């Protein structure tokens, strides 16, 4: 075979980093890097194959590893195709011809990284190959122009010659994109001053807090009307409207404040609203007596403010800040306490379900009445009057679609929001709204309307449309909103990870339920440990991560370890941002997954039967695959469960944007 000609360039980094950068476009990478092989083969037993992951600046390389020097012939090799790994790493041998092995693996679509000696002539290189060597301080990258055989030694000679002539080209490693955030600046100044104060503030003195939304390289679709709200502890909420122009920064907005007489750090929240939606929240600390002013980002729904138009459909929001919240429904946002005391707020007992996960009509009404009493008591404790409920109901009727309600949780609170019941309901005799009979078990059913078709809700009435989880499209995002899981048209893919400690018969029933509603080829599954789960979720290879595990199987520290130790590449899930769907409560995991690149999380807030969870998950995902948004899919799933006499759908929460869809466009 004739020697091949190639183009040569150089780069700064390590050979393995360039392997990670090039492997997506090349099927054969020939590398002369003993240090790289030591990384790849760490822990490899003699005469065995192994699977490993190597962290680079570019990505995590998942490799199937085989040292061909430990085998007398190709026939003695174990089945390499069974070894997990996106790339096959081979160490060459001089004892027998390894070209057929390399050729066979490439033919199966598995890229090969062949570690060999610098002077070895490697047959079968072609434009889908690259030769990588080392000429200090640069990595040499040689790309064949045709088909033939080549050695890294020839590439190094060519590189040094080009370097001597100062004709060498250099290739940079791809870098993660820098954060693309629109700045929001908070500054404190003396009244009428144009410069901020860096030091401590005097007790009982007048100052101004200035707020400024900066410019961004990408223009907005048009001028954007926003509202700045400042809520300092012990003071009334202050509000100012302003316009952020399509291009350039917004105006400076100021709030007059009088500091407390005590010399303490004075804290509060600065919130930027778009309509009724809090899109940016900063904690403001004013140093009364000592210290320096500071502001800390606590929550945001948009990095650029250019994607806020869909939020115009929301009719109310609750910004949860631990034990209290800011409620916005059109007027000036107001504080409310989230202290529910000893009010009950749990699902009724789930015993008595039939084989189809339902209950008869009397049992269903009893369950619904228990939840209505709890939900009505919670609504009264949180909001007092019926003003908020009346506004939500009025706007839903006027708009002809379910009201959009956002619960923005900066700090998770104690309120189960889907269970809120905004109609009066107390102990004692009650009457059934006609919608209970129509949409409950054995009812006529039909398409669920945007609002209750019955207008009279006077007295002690039980109506499923009184629950926020059934009347509204409810969302509880944990971070910046994502419009679509992926922009590219591709088949729907669900990756199911199963806790090996789960009951096998219940797991089999779960999978059966799930696959009765989805195409079987769309679902792949595996039993995993927490550490194995990190590797399984490293790449952009799924639209949905379905976690079927016991509560406590995974914690946020484990997810943070995947990111910290490089199990997850950075950025993680940058373009295909899967929805995480769990069968058990995921308190504490939601924010970790959101920061890891997930588009959202759907999970129950209370334990539900694991066999039933497959049915629920299947209904949600089937609607998502059919083109429904995540918010609409979950709301319709709750109603589907109501039609069987099952109220458990109200235990599920969407931690993400209600407008999230499977594919953009």
């Amino acid at each position: 075979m004739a020697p091949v000609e190639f183009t040569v360039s150089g780069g700064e980094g390590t050979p393995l980093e360039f392997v990670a950068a090039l492997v997506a476009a090349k099927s054969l990478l020939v590398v002369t890097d003993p240090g790289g092989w030591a990384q790849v083969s760490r822990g490899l037993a003699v005469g065995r194959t192994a699977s490993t992951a190597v962290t680079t600046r570019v990505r995590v390389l998942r490799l199937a590893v085989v040292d061909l020097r430990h085998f007398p012939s190709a026939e003695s090799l174990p089945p390499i195709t069974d070894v997990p790994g996106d790339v096959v790493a081979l160490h060459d041998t001089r004892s027998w011809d390894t070209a057929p092995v390399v050729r066979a693996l490439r033919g199966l679509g598995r890229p090969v990284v062949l570690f060999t000696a610098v002077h070895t002539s490697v047959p079968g290189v072609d434009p889908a190959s690259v030769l990588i060597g080392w000429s200090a301080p640069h990595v040499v990258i040689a790309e064949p122009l045709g088909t033939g055989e080549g050695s890294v030694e020839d590439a190094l000679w060519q590189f040094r010659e080009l370097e001597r002539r100062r004709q060498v080209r250099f290739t940079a490693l791809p870098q993660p994109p820098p954060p693309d955030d629109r700045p929001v600046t908070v500054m404190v100044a003396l009244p009428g001053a144009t410069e901020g104060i860096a030091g401590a503030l005097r007790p009982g003195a007048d100052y101004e807090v200035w707020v400024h939304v900066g410019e961004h390289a990408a223009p907005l679709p048009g001028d954007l009307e926003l509202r700045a709200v400042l809520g300092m502890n012990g003071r009334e909420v202050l509000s100012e409207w302003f316009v952020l122009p399509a291009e350039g920064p917004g105006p400076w907005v100021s709030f007059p404040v009088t500091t407390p007489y005590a010399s303490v750090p004075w804290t509060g929240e600065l919130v930027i609203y778009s309509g009724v939606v809090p899109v940016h929240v900063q904690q403001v600390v004013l140093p009364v007596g000592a210290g320096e002013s500071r502001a800390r980002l606590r929550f945001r729904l948009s990095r650029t403010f250019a994607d806020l138009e869909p939020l115009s459909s929301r009719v109310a929001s609750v910004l949860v800040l631990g034990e209290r919240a800011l409620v916005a429904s059109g007027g000036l946002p107001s504080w409310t306490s989230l202290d529910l005391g000893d009010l009950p707020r749990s699902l009724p007992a789930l015993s008595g379900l039939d084989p189809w996960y339902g209950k008869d009509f009397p049992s269903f009404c009893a369950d619904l009445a228990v939840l209505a009493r709890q939900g009505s008591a919670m609504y009264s404790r949180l909001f007092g009057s019926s003003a908020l409920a009346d506004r939500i109901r009025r706007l839903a009727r006027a708009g002809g679609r379910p009201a959009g309600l956002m619960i923005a949780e900066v700090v998770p609170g104690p309120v189960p929001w889907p269970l809120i019941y905004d109609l009066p309901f107390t102990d004692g005799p009650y009457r059934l709204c006609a919608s209970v009979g129509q949409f409950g078990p054995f009812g006529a059913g039909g398409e669920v309307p945007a609002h209750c078709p019955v207008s009279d809700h006077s007295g002690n009435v039980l109506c499923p449309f009184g629950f926020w989880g059934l009347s509204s499209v409810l969302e509880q995002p944990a971070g910046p909103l994502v419009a679509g899981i992926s922009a590219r048209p591709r088949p729907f893919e669900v990756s199911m990870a199963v806790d090996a400690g789960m009951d096998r018969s219940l797991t089999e029933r779960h999978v059966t339920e799930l696959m009765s509603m989805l195409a079987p080829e769309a679902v792949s599954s595996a039993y995993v440990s927490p550490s194995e789960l990190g590797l399984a979720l490293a790449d952009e290879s799924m639209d949905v991560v379905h976690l079927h595990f016991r509560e406590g199987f995974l914690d946020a520290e484990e997810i943070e370890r995947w990111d910290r130790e490089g199990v997850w590449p950075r950025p993680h899930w940058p373009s295909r941002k899967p929805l995480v769907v769990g069968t058990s409560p995921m308190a504490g995991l939601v924010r970790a997954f959101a920061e890891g690149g997930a588009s959202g999380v759907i999970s129950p807030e209370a334990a539900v039967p694991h066999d039933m969870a497959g049915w629920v998950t299947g209904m949600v995902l089937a609607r998502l695959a059919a083109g429904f948004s995540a918010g609409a899919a979950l709301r319709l799933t709750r109603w589907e469960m109501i039609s069987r006499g099952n109220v458990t759908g109200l235990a599920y929460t969407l931690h993400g944007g209600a407008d999230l869809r499977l594919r953009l466009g």
Side-chain angles (χ1 to χ4, degrees):
M1 185 175 289
V4 70
E5 294 184 2
F6 36 71
T7 60
V8 173
S9 62
E12 294 184 355
T14 67
L16 273 186
E17 288 172 337
F18 280 93
V19 167
L22 295 167
V23 74
K26 304 292 183 178
S27 61
L28 173 62
L29 297 94
V30 180
V31 184
T32 58
D33 179 21
W37 174 253
Q39 280 184 273
V40 167
S41 63
R42 185 176 295 122
L44 177 65
V46 174
R48 299 291 181 88
T49 59
S51 182
T52 190
V54 177
T55 302
T56 72
R57 277 190 296 161
V58 179
R59 55 172 291 196
V60 174
L61 278 172
R62 299 175 60 197
L63 303 126
V65 186
V66 187
D67 193 335
L68 301 180
R69 296 173 295 181
H70 296 156
F71 300 91
S73 65
E75 290 72 23
S76 63
L77 287 173
I80 303 174
T81 53
D82 295 340
V83 185
D86 305 318
V87 182
V88 180
L90 304 177
H91 197 295
D92 204 0
T93 179
R94 299 183 184 182
S95 302
W96 45 275
D97 184 12
T98 59
V101 176
V102 175
R103 189 163 53 248
L105 289 169
R106 295 178 72 189
L108 293 173
R110 299 191 78 179
V112 174
V113 181
L114 182 66
F115 289 86
T116 190
V118 67
H119 55 271
T120 302
S121 291
V122 179
V125 298
D126 53 33
S129 308
V130 64
L131 283 68
I132 300 175
W134 180 259
S135 178
H138 298 113
V139 172
V140 177
I141 306 154
E143 301 184 67
L145 294 172
T147 302
E149 65 177 20
S151 74
V152 177
E153 187 175 39
D154 293 340
L156 294 176
W157 181 89
Q158 184 176 335
F159 177 83
R160 289 167 185 147
E161 183 64 18
L162 291 172
E163 196 175 31
R164 185 181 64 82
R165 299 178 186 176
R166 298 183 179 179
Q167 295 177 341
V168 70
R169 296 183 300 108
F170 288 94
T171 301
L173 285 169
Q175 296 294 326
D180 190 22
D181 303 336
R182 184 183 288 270
V184 177
T185 304
V186 180
M187 180 183 74
V188 61
L190 291 168
T194 57
E195 293 185 1
I197 297 174
L201 309 183
R202 289 180 290 112
D206 293 335
Y207 294 93
E208 290 179 343
V209 175
W210 289 84
V211 181
H212 177 245
V213 179
E215 61 183 334
H216 191 271
L220 301 173
D223 291 352
L224 189 61
E225 188 175 33
L226 300 173
R227 186 180 206 171
V229 171
L230 180 67
M232 300 301 295
N233 289 340
R235 299 289 191 270
E236 293 184 355
V237 172
L238 303 175
S239 172
E240 288 289 341
W241 291 95
F242 67 97
V243 173
L244 182 64
E247 296 188 27
W252 283 92
V253 176
S254 69
F255 300 98
V257 297
T258 301
T259 57
Y261 286 96
S263 295
V264 293
W266 189 30
T267 62
E269 309 296 331
L270 183 283
V271 187
I272 304 295
Y273 279 91
S274 175
V276 298
V277 178
V279 298
H280 187 100
V281 182
Q282 287 184 230
Q283 182 185 60
V284 178
V285 180
L286 302 184
V288 181
E292 293 188 356
S293 301
R294 61 184 186 275
R296 177 173 65 94
L297 176 66
R298 301 192 71 191
F299 180 83
R300 64 180 164 196
L301 295 178
S302 174
R303 293 182 177 276
T304 66
F305 289 38
D307 49 0
L308 301 181
E309 194 280 328
L311 298 178
S312 61
S313 63
R314 310 308 190 258
V315 301
S317 72
V318 181
L319 176 61
V320 179
L321 294 157
E323 296 180 353
R324 64 176 187 165
L326 265 178
V327 181
S329 59
L332 179 67
S334 59
W335 289 109
T336 187
S337 170
L338 297 183
D339 180 13
L340 295 179
D342 57 356
L343 289 179
R345 44 186 182 274
S346 60
L347 292 172
L350 294 179
S351 58
L353 294 176
D354 61 30
W356 298 274
Y357 312 115
K359 291 187 178 183
D360 58 31
F361 190 76
S363 299
F364 164 69
C365 290
D367 286 350
L368 205 63
V370 169
L371 292 181
R373 290 188 191 95
Q374 294 182 180
S376 182
M378 286 190 286
Y379 178 88
S380 298
R381 176 75 68 89
L382 295 172
F383 306 111
S385 73
S386 64
L388 176 63
D390 293 342
R391 174 179 169 79
I392 292 172
R393 201 166 286 112
R394 182 177 70 255
L395 292 176
R397 290 183 180 276
R401 58 183 176 182
L405 295 182
M406 177 176 288
I407 311 298
E409 291 192 307
V410 177
V411 179
V415 182
W417 298 102
L419 296 177
I420 293 292
Y421 188 80
D422 62 10
L423 295 170
F425 195 86
T426 59
D427 289 328
Y430 60 84
R431 65 183 180 88
L432 293 178
C433 176
S435 62
V436 179
Q438 179 178 354
F439 298 108
F442 311 108
E447 182 178 353
V448 178
H451 52 80
C452 183
V454 180
S455 58
D456 180 15
H457 284 139
S458 60
N460 209 33
V461 62
L462 181 61
C463 175
F465 285 91
F467 292 96
W468 279 10
L470 295 170
S471 65
S472 308
V473 176
L474 199 59
E475 60 191 344
Q476 294 179 225
L481 298 178
V482 177
I485 291 172
S486 174
R488 289 178 51 193
R490 60 178 107 202
F492 182 44
E493 294 179 88
V494 178
S495 181
M496 180 176 174
V498 182
D499 172 6
M502 299 287 290
D503 181 278
R504 294 298 176 103
S505 61
L506 292 181
T507 298
E508 290 173 2
R509 182 172 179 179
H510 178 101
V511 174
T512 301
E513 294 278 4
L514 184 64
M515 291 190 173
S516 68
M517 302 180 200
L518 299 173
E521 63 272 14
V523 183
S524 61
S525 62
Y527 287 98
V528 294
S529 66
S531 58
E532 293 168 335
L533 179 61
L535 286 174
L537 303 183
D539 295 330
E540 293 187 314
S541 57
M542 74 293 286
D543 299 302
V544 172
V545 174
H546 180 34
L547 302 178
H548 182 54
F549 53 63
R550 299 161 294 173
E551 188 174 2
F553 172 76
L554 184 66
D555 56 36
E557 288 75 15
E558 180 71 17
I559 300 174
E560 291 164 2
R561 185 185 69 80
W562 300 339
D563 181 63
R564 183 177 64 254
E565 297 183 3
V567 177
W568 280 1
R570 294 183 182 178
H572 185 233
W573 294 336
S575 56
R576 194 178 191 182
K577 307 178 78 63
L579 175 68
V580 179
V581 181
T583 57
S584 297
M586 297 177 63
L589 303 180
V590 173
R591 193 170 299 277
F593 272 116
E595 292 173 353
S599 58
V601 175
I602 294 178
S603 65
E605 301 302 306
V608 300
H610 282 290
D611 55 341
M612 188 182 74
W615 172 54
V616 179
T617 302
M619 285 191 290
V620 172
L621 297 188
R623 289 184 169 94
L624 190 70
F628 286 91
S629 67
L634 183 55
R635 177 177 182 264
L636 292 175
T637 296
R638 292 189 184 116
W639 277 105
E640 175 68 21
M641 299 174 75
I642 290 291
S643 73
R644 297 198 191 187
N646 190 323
V647 300
T648 315
L650 292 170
Y652 281 80
T653 297
L654 167 62
H655 296 282
D659 299 318
L660 172 69
R661 295 183 184 274
L662 179 63
R663 299 284 179 259
L664 286 172

